[in-house]
Amino acid sequence: MLVRDAMSTVVLTIGPAHTLRQAARLMAARHVGAAVVLDTDADGVGILTERDILTSVGMGQDPDLETAGTHTTTDVVFAAPSWTLEEAASAMTHGGFRHLIVLDGDGPVGIVSVRDIIRCWAPARRRAASMAG
């Protein structure tokens, strides 16, 4: 199975000036664990995750003053839609993260998460087990 089969194509995109509270509200409303941060003036594409927000709040920073741009990961590992789920899982395991921005051509076309991969693998494993037994 490929990344294109598992990824979410509804991508929450925010700017670097969004506060962490604004980002958290948008992420919660859309039930996603990450937002793509587009900064056309600087690094281009980055990612802000719920863990980034949690870390900031845990350090006592004010989510109404802290911006997404300050907490965005810009050293991002991207996936291609044609990657296998094994390749995506390996990249996540190696990098210690739970989301990959999927790029095709000039920009993001989706996000694949550990949850997406598990959702795809679990039925396949159940089918294989039932055929074996």
Side-chain angles (χ1 to χ4, degrees), residues 12-19 22-23 26-27 35-39 48 68:
L12 173 60
T13 303
I14 63 173
H18 277 81
T19 66
Q22 290 170 324
L26 291 168
M27 290 163 67
V36 173
V37 181
L38 293 179
D39 187 353
L48 178 74

Side-chain angles (χ1 to χ4, degrees), residues 5-114:
D5 303 318
M7 71 182 190
S8 172
T9 57
V10 178
V11 179
L12 173 60
T13 303
I14 63 173
H18 277 81
T19 66
L20 292 187
R21 185 177 309 278
Q22 290 170 324
R25 281 187 181 140
L26 291 168
M27 290 163 67
R30 288 166 178 79
H31 305 288
V32 297
V36 173
V37 181
L38 293 179
D39 187 353
T40 56
D41 295 331
D43 300 312
V45 178
I47 191 166
L48 178 74
T49 67
E50 56 197 357
R51 184 171 293 177
D52 297 324
I53 296 169
L54 182 64
T55 298
S56 174
V57 171
M59 291 179 1
Q61 297 175 334
D62 186 340
D64 292 313
L65 299 176
E66 294 296 315
T67 62
T70 305
H71 297 276
T72 296
T73 299
T74 55
D75 184 21
V76 179
V77 175
F78 297 101
S82 59
W83 278 19
T84 65
L85 294 186
E86 288 81 7
E87 288 172 307
S90 177
M92 290 177 184
T93 301
H94 179 57
F97 42 79
R98 298 177 294 164
H99 299 86
L100 285 170
I101 298 173
V102 183
L103 290 183
D104 193 14
D106 293 334
V109 294
I111 290 185
V112 65
S113 69
V114 169

